[in-house]
Amino acid sequence: ERLTRHQLQVLLIEISHLVIALGENCASSLADLIPALRDCLTNADHGVRHEAAAAFASISNPFPSSGRVFVIEALGSFGASMDSILGLSQKASASTSTTPRKRFGRPVRDDKRDGSSETNEELLRCQASVHGNSLAVSMLMHEFPHTTGGVATAIVGKSIEVINKLLQCQFDDNLVKLNPSAACTCIRAGYCMLAGVLSMGIAAVVPCHVSTVFGFWQSSSMNILPGKSKFSGSHDLLWVETMLGSVVSFLKFSPDLLLAVPEALNRITALLEKIFPLLSLGGRFEREVLNDRIGASRLSSARSSVLEAYSWLPPGSFPMSADRIYSFAVSQIQDLSSKDVMCSLIDSLVSREDQIIEAQAQSRAVCPGQIGGCVSLDNNLSLRSSDIMHHNEREAVLHILAWKRGKKQLSRSNPPVKGELHDSPVLDLYLGEEEDNSVPTPLHQVGTWRRPLDPTAVSRVRLLDCSIHLFAATFGLQDSHTQADAMKMLESMYSSGQTDKAKGFNAATLINESQGKVKPLEEDVLAANATATVLACLQALPLHESTHNTLISQSAPWMERSTSLLLRLLPSPSGIIRRAAAEGLSLLATLGTSEDAHTLQSTILHSLDEVMKGNRVVAETNPKLQVDTLAHAKAGSLLALACIQRAAMRIKRKENERLSRSVARGGAIEGDNNAAATPVMIMMTRVLPTLATHNMDEGSLLARTYALHAFGILISNSIDKSDALTPEQTQIVSKAVEAVESNFLSAWSSVVAETSKGKEREKFGAEPSLLAVLLRLMTTLLPWIGSLSSLDRFVASRFACYVSTIIEFGKKHPLVWFEAMVFYERLSAHQNLLQPNSCCIVTTESPAALALPSLATVLRDSSPKVIPSSEDDFTGCEAPLDVQRAAIGCLHRICAVEGIGTSPADAAFVWSFFHQACGRRRFQHFSDLRSLALSRAITNFDDCQLVESETISLIQSIFAFQWGRSKTVLERSYLAVQWILFCRCMAAGDTKYRDDDNYSEPMSLALLTERALDDARQLASRVLKSSNPPRWQLKCLSTNVGAICLAAVVEDEKTSTVSTGSIFDLRAARKICSDMMRNGGSPGVGLHALPAFFLEPFVNIACSASTATSNNSELPSVQAAGLRLMTSVTNAFAAHVDPEDGSRVLSQYLSQIISSVRHGLNAESLATESTTGSSFHLLFSSGCDALYALLARELIADPVVMRRLVQPVLSLAADSLYVSYPEDHERDSLLLKTTHVTGDSRTFPLFDLSKLCFIAKVTVLVEQKRIQHTTIEMINNELPKTTRGLVSHSAAASIDGFFLDNHAHGERETITAGLTYKNRSDLDESVIRELRENWPILCVYSMLMLIESIKAERDECKGLSKWMTSLVPLIFNGFRSSLASQ
């Protein structure tokens, strides 16, 4: 059945998500998937081509080598496509001239299909192929820097060549004359790929390519000038839009090239000054595409790109265009606002700390972001309220978006940084994720440059956003009269909107006819645009703005006008406008010289008092609207007071940072501590009356919520956590505690007819924001509650009870749950505050006991249940990812402070959540609603891969804590057995859902072993109850954790001083267990089995994982984990014998083990035959480690078997040539690199490095004679006879590993290059880890071989001695470090 274009797009979207979710598991499907996607790239529908290109980008995430192969093949296909376009254009032109004319109103009858139509269809197919392939290549170029291996420079060079050929179509007079649309398609494709290449950054775009790129821009810009262009305005605009996008991509992702390339900044500025007049008002393009809707959209996009390019330039670099840009921005703000276009910046301009006051109940939310990341509800709201964007608009911003942002990972290794909000890493993870304003180059440090936000795809909204940003950036350059006129314009724009609203109901304010967008009733486009413009201007101004010859006794005229406008906006029914107005007033109150700031600050504070009293609020004819307006005015004024204090403290911190930098440079500058002083106590007295009353009739619940939030901000920004509280501050904290308790008991209550008096809707709607604010205030007060212990030592206990009650009865709102997770995380850091209290309804002595039930609820399995059981609860819904990440962070803190449980059963819910999260992986670069411009309030997509890594770290932390708390070897071995068997059952999918066994028989060793296995199976069934067999990610994690546990037991037994017999020896284990059964168990753990009884399950799961496949495709990540477990099993059991026949216990499993190891050693050949990426390199490294364990434990006695195993590893000796110690210009001969263009260049060195480390280990093992003579002879027969070529490479690797290890321990400055690599960024973390761990053995091996070589070749020892001279300091340094660690 033929699919429609819409069905194809949906199908391709799902494919992009499925590829990410399945990962390595779908490798075998690529053979069928990639050809189908290639066909979709030539589809006639633009949307299908776009989604097919996105699917290719998703494939490159788990399979980067497949993406590189496609790019090479696609680059080679452009030449044939261009030739076909030219030939078909000539054929179509010739057939058009001979086609018979149609009579008016009657088509020409022709039984045969017209040849010209076939030619045109083929021509369109070729153009679609060029467009689709260029789009896919550009997306992959954008993706490659974020995948393993990156991209080879040869691919970048080839891309530049193809781009040059495509852009030459602009100068092909024959093609331009025959088919201008096809020529523009080729030019657009070239600039699309150029934007993708430039988005890779300076690591790929070397300066030698930049001159070529500038040549492209220069030649193209000369040919769009009036009189020189060969195209019409609509055709020129088709590719000019994409060319400007490539300029923005260059400035955003490669700003360092502005300094590295001579005259780069001047050439960019000249290019923009040449193009801007053509796009501005009255320019060439506006005249030619005035009545074309699609052309108008492209014109808006091109104008946006020009403004964005100016936004990325350093301040002051375009003085000739600054006034013209300012005037253009003003005109666009007026024009677009009058056309009911609303900017998207306002959500990003306000502080995210205040977002909780906009929380709404799920049934009353009207805008995205009001329900705290509830994805399903957010999607419904977005469908109703978001603008629709065309594929052309999506392509225009495709390469300007920062697809991968650096996100902080929650783990125990991330302690809170001093000065962070509330000292909470969980809260700072979200509140601190506001847009980064780091300067890209030193040129941008001049003035107050601000980083532009990522653009939205709707062309008109994007143009309005860019105009506001440029208006704010150039506002400070204008004189006082121009600034005052600008504020007057904004006032008049806002006033006109209020006049129209007062005239009556206007349907146009609810429904946008062109977009079909449904707007909330409180949305006010003109007010939002005016507020965003003023706030952007205030944020762009320097901290101490001059007054431009204005008297000191009064503020600048524009400040007075902006203050008046913001005060009028405070009573707005829209929460985001109130927040923006409060932020703007806070900046005005802390801006200017000291005298101006204090004068304007007093004026603003006085005006806020008047607004709170309702004296400056416009009277409404409707009494209900009048009450609401007064409540909004009071709420906005309270928030403004808090914002003033927060802004003052922000200025103080920046000033302290500036002074500290000055002192570090040797300066001695004294700052003015009173410059940003604010009357904190006066502001607190304005807030207290609203939140201290117990009578709900005296104020609005909205105002009460704002007052609680404002009071928390005032406290956190006025009281220093490091100093002791003064009596005045103690009273403030006590008042805050009283406010929390009174509002918890009185404000949050059921709706009663006698007291609510028509406020039922408000109470139900505002309940989530009130509860979230209460929780945030309790979290804020925790650091100072200890100071109240002499007055009331049970405050923290009562707070814990309040939180438990809110969670139980708070209707599971995501924002409320998130704030509860933050409270628990902070409470675990202040657990000394908890006191036993008989009045509490829950036990509050331990934060873990208090928080774990809630945390387990958040992380519970939310998979659909087809057949309900008595244990399933259908009342809850899936928790948002933000709440789940907060719960993971809270568990990290609890685990670090108290620990979690004493067995793997206590962590089963974490394993279950991990298994669920693996199935929720999605393609992160696009949302599900790809054709909608989502609100900036929705900032976080479901980054489940980040959650997976945090959960893995948490599981390892739980085991580490439980291991560290165990006191004896038997306790630790019992814990390890539980974990290993649990991991084994999950990896194998071995479950048991009911305990039907009746252990009535007398206890025996066999029964003890069977009970341990059954317990593990039942525990694994809790994780696998919704999905069995397990996902490959769970197999990989469980196998890795099992290997860690077994290795810990082996190391613990080595260092143990208690002589009870080895727990891996079957005879000793039987004796220990018999003693335990005789004595009723061992102290602390009771009766339990030992690891020696589970050799067969351990070996079976290790062998099974080492050769794991799925759908006939390899799973190298699982296989590498299986080999690590195999190595641990070998180290644990190799030395022990079977008491029955005296043979080694591993001998009966040796054939399975050798087969598994051989499979891992064949990974180098599998990497060239398969489609997967860097995991094969890790598989080969694990295979080398497993082979060394077999040799070191002397488990291989057959020379033929040994020869077959070591053959893939020893091939390095024949390929290595001796290299003298290099000078600076001779280091290329030692580089660890790949010769495959499509290979993983960053991880590929692991192949050769693993071989080198294996040879070094085995050689040292032989030299130390720690194994029997016969084994030494077998190994010597296989080791390379000539090792001179290996000497130089091993010595170079040891030197690099030594310096990398010192750098990791903070003993050396940043490492940029080494002997075996040109740049540290060229190495994967696995290669760096291998170098750091093995540099000592490589150094020893190099010295041994150097000594032998010098003895044998005395005439050529000069070059060898130079290597030895370089290695001697490493030996003494390592010897010193070893002595220091003893």
Side-chain angles (χ1 to χ4, degrees):
E1 184 180 356
R2 186 175 180 83
L3 297 175
T4 65
R5 60 192 182 97
H6 300 296
Q7 291 171 331
L8 269 176
Q9 292 180 51
V10 173
L11 179 64
L12 291 169
I13 290 173
E14 293 302 318
I15 286 175
S16 66
H17 291 313
L18 278 173
V19 169
I20 298 297
L22 295 175
E24 296 177 1
N25 212 5
C26 66
S28 60
S29 303
L30 294 185
D32 300 325
L33 181 59
I34 290 179
L37 293 179
R38 288 181 185 276
D39 292 339
C40 292
L41 288 178
T42 61
N43 193 281
D45 185 69
H46 190 166
V48 173
R49 297 196 298 271
H50 193 105
E51 298 303 340
F56 266 112
S58 70
I59 288 175
S60 69
N61 194 302
F63 309 109
S65 58
S66 298
R68 299 185 197 103
V69 170
F70 168 77
V71 168
I72 292 177
E73 294 175 352
L75 291 175
S77 68
F78 282 105
S81 298
M82 293 171 62
D83 294 340
S84 299
I85 288 175
L86 181 58
L88 291 171
S89 298
Q90 294 173 345
K91 184 178 179 180
S93 177
S95 62
T96 302
S97 60
T98 60
T99 300
R101 295 180 59 187
K102 296 181 180 180
R103 291 180 295 172
F104 181 77
R106 295 183 181 180
V108 178
R109 294 185 60 185
D110 190 2
D111 296 335
K112 298 182 180 180
R113 190 173 181 180
D114 190 2
S116 62
S117 62
E118 294 181 357
T119 303
N120 290 332
E121 288 179 4
E122 184 65 24
L123 181 59
L124 291 176
R125 192 176 299 111
C126 290
Q127 294 183 55
S129 175
V130 170
H131 172 260
N133 281 285
S134 66
L135 190 59
V137 170
S138 65
M139 285 191 184
L140 286 167
M141 291 291 186
H142 202 161
E143 178 75 16
F144 281 148
H146 314 296
T147 60
T148 56
V151 66
T153 55
I155 296 181
V156 178
K158 178 65 176 178
S159 302
I160 297 294
E161 294 178 8
V162 174
I163 291 169
N164 184 28
K165 292 180 181 179
L166 289 169
L167 297 183
Q168 289 303 314
C169 294
Q170 186 178 4
F171 312 104
D172 189 340
D173 295 336
N174 189 21
L175 180 60
V176 170
K177 182 178 180 181
L178 293 174
N179 195 339
S181 297
C184 290
T185 299
C186 294
I187 301 169
R188 183 181 177 88
Y191 277 121
C192 181
M193 285 197 295
L194 181 61
V197 170
L198 294 174
S199 69
M200 299 173 69
I202 195 172
V205 187
V206 293
C208 65
H209 292 147
V210 178
S211 58
T212 306
V213 173
F214 276 120
F216 296 156
W217 291 334
Q218 180 67 24
S219 58
S220 295
S221 62
M222 292 298 296
N223 284 273
I224 60 173
L225 297 176
K228 292 187 178 181
S229 175
K230 303 181 180 65
F231 297 100
S232 64
S234 58
H235 283 116
D236 265 335
L237 194 59
L238 186 68
W239 61 265
V240 167
E241 172 195 19
T242 314
M243 183 192 76
L244 292 172
S246 66
V247 175
V248 179
S249 181
F250 170 81
L251 292 172
K252 181 172 184 177
F253 296 104
S254 306
D256 294 331
L257 294 174
L258 293 176
L259 299 176
V261 180
E263 297 296 320
L265 180 58
N266 293 335
R267 297 178 70 176
I268 287 285
T269 306
L271 172 68
L272 296 176
E273 289 178 349
K274 189 185 303 180
I275 295 178
F276 179 68
L278 304 177
L279 298 170
S280 59
L281 300 175
R284 174 197 169 197
F285 292 112
E286 186 180 50
R287 294 193 302 269
E288 296 191 23
V289 300
L290 185 62
N291 298 320
D292 183 5
R293 184 174 63 86
I294 298 178
S297 176
R298 292 193 188 279
L299 179 60
S300 297
S301 179
R303 285 173 170 175
S304 303
S305 297
V306 169
L307 296 182
E308 286 167 0
Y310 276 118
S311 300
W312 283 100
L313 289 176
S317 58
F318 47 95
M320 303 298 294
S321 306
D323 292 339
R324 188 167 46 186
I325 292 172
Y326 175 81
S327 301
F328 178 76
V330 170
S331 64
Q332 292 302 306
I333 293 172
Q334 288 179 294
D335 180 57
L336 294 172
S337 298
S338 64
K339 295 178 180 177
D340 201 34
V341 179
M342 181 174 175
C343 73
S344 66
L345 294 177
I346 191 166
D347 286 302
S348 300
L349 293 174
V350 296
S351 174
R352 291 189 63 184
E353 189 178 5
D354 305 328
Q355 193 170 3
I356 58 174
I357 59 179
E358 288 196 56
Q360 293 288 330
Q362 286 95 329
S363 59
R364 300 190 180 275
V366 294
C367 296
Q370 291 182 340
I371 28 77
C374 187
V375 178
S376 56
L377 186 53
D378 261 345
N379 286 348
N380 292 335
L381 294 173
S382 300
L383 285 170
R384 297 178 62 253
S385 60
S386 298
D387 291 305
I388 301 173
M389 53 188 180
H390 192 264
H391 305 293
N392 286 324
E393 296 175 320
R394 292 170 60 188
E395 283 185 28
V397 300
L398 181 65
H399 302 297
I400 310 175
L401 301 176
W403 281 6
K404 292 271 188 178
R405 300 185 181 184
K407 291 187 177 181
K408 195 192 306 181
Q409 180 175 334
L410 288 171
S411 68
R412 56 184 177 145
S413 60
N414 286 337
V417 181
K418 185 177 180 181
E420 289 184 339
L421 297 168
H422 309 290
D423 293 330
S424 171
V426 177
L427 191 57
D428 289 321
L429 184 69
Y430 298 97
L431 300 188
E433 270 188 358
E434 298 178 20
E435 193 67 28
D436 180 26
N437 196 42
S438 58
V439 291
T441 68
L443 297 175
H444 292 79
Q445 294 179 350
V446 180
T448 56
W449 181 85
R450 291 187 64 84
R451 179 179 291 270
L453 300 173
D454 285 343
T456 186
V458 180
S459 57
R460 295 192 302 169
V461 178
R462 178 188 174 197
L463 178 57
L464 180 57
D465 291 345
C466 298
S467 300
I468 292 176
H469 184 88
L470 259 296
F471 173 82
T474 55
F475 181 78
L477 304 177
Q478 311 303 315
D479 57 66
S480 59
H481 298 291
T482 306
Q483 291 174 335
D485 290 342
M487 292 300 154
K488 184 178 180 181
M489 178 271 294
L490 294 175
E491 282 185 322
S492 62
M493 184 176 74
Y494 170 71
S495 300
S496 64
Q498 300 308 304
T499 303
D500 294 339
K501 288 176 64 176
K503 291 180 180 179
F505 181 82
N506 186 5
T509 61
L510 290 178
I511 301 177
N512 188 328
E513 295 178 358
S514 62
Q515 300 288 346
K517 170 184 172 182
V518 180
K519 299 180 180 179
L521 291 174
E522 62 267 20
E523 181 175 303
D524 190 336
V525 173
L526 295 176
N529 292 346
T531 311
T533 306
V534 174
L535 185 56
C537 289
L538 294 173
Q539 291 179 351
L541 289 174
L543 295 179
H544 299 285
E545 176 67 15
S546 60
T547 55
H548 294 293
N549 301 322
T550 305
L551 295 175
I552 294 297
S553 59
Q554 67 182 59
S555 303
W558 73 267
M559 291 185 179
E560 296 181 354
R561 286 190 173 275
S562 59
T563 303
S564 174
L565 175 60
L566 293 175
L567 288 171
R568 293 175 60 188
L569 289 165
L570 267 184
S572 171
S574 172
I576 189 66
I577 294 178
R578 286 196 300 272
R579 288 169 57 193
E583 289 269 356
L585 289 171
S586 69
L587 293 174
L588 282 168
T590 54
L591 185 70
T593 58
S594 299
E595 294 81 0
D596 287 345
H598 294 158
T599 302
L600 187 58
Q601 187 180 101
S602 302
T603 304
I604 291 174
L605 290 175
H606 176 71
S607 301
L608 289 176
D609 287 340
E610 295 296 316
V611 172
M612 290 176 64
K613 296 175 183 177
N615 297 336
R616 299 190 57 161
V617 178
V618 178
E620 297 282 354
T621 56
N622 189 335
K624 177 66 170 64
L625 292 179
Q626 179 68 15
V627 173
D628 291 342
T629 302
L630 291 174
H632 296 152
K634 188 172 185 180
S637 302
L638 293 170
L639 181 61
L641 294 174
C643 291
I644 291 173
Q645 180 62 25
R646 183 170 59 195
M649 291 304 298
R650 187 184 302 121
I651 292 175
K652 184 178 180 180
R653 285 195 296 268
K654 290 182 178 180
E655 185 66 18
N656 292 338
E657 292 175 2
R658 185 182 66 85
L659 293 177
S660 63
R661 289 195 300 268
S662 176
V663 171
R665 291 193 297 265
I669 302 177
E670 295 184 0
D672 184 7
N673 293 329
N674 297 322
T678 53
V680 182
M681 291 304 301
I682 295 177
M683 292 190 289
M684 286 187 177
T685 55
R686 299 292 190 274
V687 175
L688 279 172
T690 306
L691 56 87
T693 177
H694 293 265
N695 188 358
M696 286 296 298
D697 295 337
E698 296 183 7
S700 165
L701 190 63
L702 177 70
R704 183 182 289 261
T705 301
Y706 273 67
L708 285 168
H709 181 64
F711 200 49
I713 294 176
L714 287 171
I715 291 176
S716 62
N717 287 278
S718 61
I719 302 178
D720 194 348
K721 298 182 180 66
S722 59
D723 299 336
L725 294 183
T726 63
E728 185 183 50
Q729 293 173 340
T730 303
Q731 185 178 6
I732 293 174
V733 174
S734 179
K735 282 289 185 182
V737 172
E738 180 184 345
V740 168
E741 296 182 337
S742 62
N743 282 275
F744 175 80
L745 297 173
S746 61
W748 184 44
S749 58
S750 61
V751 176
V752 181
E754 291 78 8
T755 58
S756 298
K757 295 182 179 179
K759 296 181 180 180
E760 295 86 357
R761 180 182 183 276
E762 180 189 9
K763 286 182 70 68
F764 281 124
E767 179 182 326
S769 59
L770 174 66
L771 297 180
V773 167
L774 272 176
L775 291 168
R776 177 75 61 83
L777 183 56
M778 285 189 279
T779 304
T780 303
L781 294 175
L782 281 177
W784 299 293
I785 288 179
S787 301
L788 304 179
S789 58
S790 59
L791 303 174
D792 186 353
R793 62 191 181 94
F794 300 124
V795 174
S797 298
R798 291 199 300 275
F799 279 7
C801 293
Y802 297 161
V803 175
S804 300
T805 307
I806 289 173
I807 287 179
E808 185 174 358
F809 300 102
K811 300 178 183 178
K812 297 185 178 181
H813 194 281
L815 273 175
V816 176
W817 276 79
F818 175 78
E819 294 297 330
M821 299 300 105
V822 175
F823 175 84
Y824 284 139
E825 187 268 329
R826 282 294 83 204
L827 184 64
S828 63
H830 297 86
Q831 62 176 347
N832 59 311
L833 298 175
L834 295 177
Q835 300 288 340
N837 188 355
S838 59
C839 297
C840 291
I841 59 174
V842 294
T843 303
T844 56
E845 290 86 349
S846 170
L850 183 67
L852 281 176
S854 302
L855 296 172
T857 303
V858 170
L859 300 179
R860 70 176 180 178
D861 187 3
S862 61
S863 58
K865 299 162 179 78
V866 180
I867 303 176
S869 64
S870 58
E871 299 177 356
D872 295 330
D873 179 14
F874 289 87
T875 60
C877 61
E878 179 181 341
L881 195 71
D882 291 357
V883 179
Q884 292 174 340
R885 290 192 67 192
I888 294 294
C890 183
L891 285 171
H892 268 292
R893 170 65 66 175
I894 292 175
C895 186
V897 176
E898 294 185 71
I900 299 176
T902 57
S903 69
D906 298 311
F909 72 97
V910 182
W911 285 91
S912 180
F913 169 72
F914 173 80
H915 196 204
Q916 169 201 353
C918 294
R920 292 169 56 188
R921 283 187 178 185
R922 310 186 75 79
F923 188 40
Q924 301 300 317
H925 298 160
F926 299 102
S927 69
D928 291 333
L929 309 176
R930 300 187 181 182
S931 298
L932 296 180
L934 300 181
S935 169
R936 294 184 188 272
I938 308 174
T939 54
N940 295 317
F941 293 145
D942 285 357
D943 194 351
C944 288
Q945 296 185 30
L946 187 61
V947 176
E948 288 177 31
S949 60
E950 293 171 354
T951 309
I952 291 172
S953 175
L954 174 61
I955 291 173
Q956 293 175 348
S957 300
I958 293 174
F959 170 74
F961 179 86
Q962 293 180 0
W963 179 266
R965 192 165 57 179
S966 302
K967 299 178 181 179
T968 65
V969 176
L970 288 178
E971 288 184 23
R972 288 190 287 270
S973 67
Y974 175 53
L975 176 68
V977 165
Q978 288 179 295
W979 275 86
I980 297 170
L981 292 178
F982 173 55
C983 293
R984 174 255 172 201
C985 291
M986 286 192 297
D990 186 8
T991 59
K992 184 177 182 180
Y993 291 94
R994 288 181 177 86
D995 188 8
D996 298 329
D997 296 328
N998 185 11
Y999 299 108
S1000 58
E1001 302 176 6
M1003 184 57 64
S1004 63
L1005 294 179
L1007 185 59
L1008 189 64
T1009 305
E1010 187 61 28
R1011 286 186 60 177
L1013 286 171
D1014 283 348
D1015 291 342
R1017 292 187 184 107
Q1018 292 177 26
L1019 184 57
S1021 67
R1022 294 163 55 182
V1023 179
L1024 301 177
K1025 62 180 179 180
S1026 60
S1027 177
N1028 194 6
R1031 297 185 174 94
W1032 69 268
Q1033 295 96 333
L1034 183 65
K1035 288 184 179 181
C1036 184
L1037 175 60
S1038 56
T1039 310
N1040 273 324
V1041 172
I1044 293 172
C1045 297
L1046 191 55
V1049 178
V1050 173
E1051 187 64 28
D1052 183 56
E1053 192 180 42
K1054 287 181 181 178
T1055 58
S1056 175
T1057 58
V1058 180
S1059 177
T1060 58
S1062 175
I1063 57 177
F1064 297 105
D1065 183 69
L1066 189 56
R1067 180 175 295 158
R1070 288 174 178 173
K1071 183 178 182 303
I1072 295 173
C1073 288
S1074 298
D1075 293 340
M1076 282 194 294
M1077 287 188 290
R1078 189 181 308 112
N1079 300 326
S1082 62
V1085 294
L1087 191 61
H1088 64 276
L1090 294 177
F1093 303 142
F1094 304 101
L1095 173 59
E1096 183 176 358
F1098 292 169
V1099 172
N1100 288 340
I1101 190 59
C1103 293
S1104 175
S1106 300
T1107 56
T1109 59
S1110 177
N1111 196 19
N1112 297 323
S1113 61
E1114 305 286 339
L1115 296 176
S1117 297
V1118 181
Q1119 293 173 1
L1123 285 174
R1124 295 188 195 103
L1125 180 58
M1126 182 75 70
T1127 304
S1128 298
V1129 171
T1130 303
N1131 293 330
F1133 292 95
H1136 304 292
V1137 297
D1138 191 339
E1140 304 297 335
D1141 56 8
S1143 62
R1144 287 192 175 188
V1145 292
L1146 285 179
S1147 59
Q1148 56 183 323
Y1149 308 105
L1150 202 54
S1151 59
Q1152 297 174 254
I1153 295 174
I1154 290 175
S1155 177
S1156 301
V1157 173
R1158 183 186 296 119
H1159 179 81
L1161 295 174
N1162 291 332
E1164 190 169 9
S1165 60
L1166 290 174
T1168 59
E1169 300 169 1
S1170 182
T1171 56
T1172 45
S1174 62
S1175 298
F1176 276 116
H1177 307 84
L1178 299 174
L1179 174 60
F1180 183 81
S1181 177
S1182 301
C1184 291
D1185 293 338
L1187 177 58
Y1188 173 74
L1190 293 177
L1191 294 179
R1193 300 299 185 272
E1194 302 182 76
L1195 290 174
I1196 303 177
D1198 189 349
V1200 178
V1201 173
M1202 180 177 292
R1203 183 176 299 110
R1204 290 178 179 176
L1205 287 176
V1206 300
Q1207 186 177 3
V1209 186
L1210 300 182
S1211 60
L1212 180 67
D1215 301 333
S1216 301
L1217 301 176
Y1218 172 75
V1219 180
S1220 301
Y1221 189 85
E1223 303 296 336
D1224 291 338
H1225 60 282
E1226 299 175 346
R1227 296 192 175 187
D1228 288 352
S1229 55
L1230 287 169
L1231 294 178
L1232 296 171
K1233 56 186 178 182
T1234 176
T1235 56
H1236 302 287
V1237 176
T1238 61
D1240 185 351
S1241 58
R1242 297 181 69 244
T1243 317
F1244 186 85
L1246 201 57
F1247 278 132
D1248 289 345
L1249 187 59
S1250 299
K1251 297 175 184 178
L1252 198 60
C1253 294
F1254 173 81
I1255 295 173
K1257 291 177 183 178
V1258 173
T1259 303
V1260 173
L1261 180 68
V1262 171
E1263 291 292 330
Q1264 292 177 339
K1265 298 180 179 180
R1266 290 185 292 165
I1267 52 180
Q1268 296 181 5
H1269 181 69
T1270 55
T1271 307
I1272 291 177
E1273 288 184 353
M1274 282 195 303
I1275 295 176
N1276 283 331
N1277 291 334
E1278 302 301 330
L1279 285 176
K1281 307 304 178 185
T1282 56
T1283 59
R1284 191 178 179 192
L1286 297 175
V1287 168
S1288 53
H1289 294 279
S1290 62
S1294 66
I1295 293 172
D1296 286 343
F1298 169 78
F1299 287 119
L1300 287 171
D1301 191 58
N1302 282 356
H1303 169 67
H1305 291 92
E1307 299 179 10
R1308 186 178 171 88
E1309 297 180 356
T1310 303
I1311 304 294
T1312 57
L1315 295 173
T1316 58
Y1317 58 92
K1318 286 186 176 180
N1319 196 315
R1320 192 179 185 277
S1321 61
D1322 296 336
L1323 299 180
D1324 187 76
E1325 287 301 320
S1326 59
V1327 180
I1328 296 175
R1329 183 172 59 251
E1330 190 82 3
L1331 287 170
R1332 288 183 54 201
E1333 291 177 355
N1334 293 285
W1335 75 262
I1337 198 71
L1338 289 172
C1339 183
V1340 173
Y1341 169 74
S1342 302
M1343 289 298 293
L1344 290 173
M1345 295 301 103
L1346 281 170
I1347 293 172
E1348 290 185 5
S1349 299
I1350 291 174
K1351 290 179 179 178
E1353 305 174 13
R1354 296 183 181 275
D1355 297 335
E1356 301 180 9
C1357 64
K1358 184 176 181 181
L1360 298 174
S1361 61
K1362 195 165 185 180
W1363 279 112
M1364 184 176 289
T1365 305
S1366 303
L1367 292 174
V1368 167
L1370 272 65
I1371 294 176
F1372 283 101
N1373 193 293
F1375 185 63
R1376 183 188 64 184
S1377 300
S1378 299
L1379 292 177
S1381 63
Q1382 296 299 322

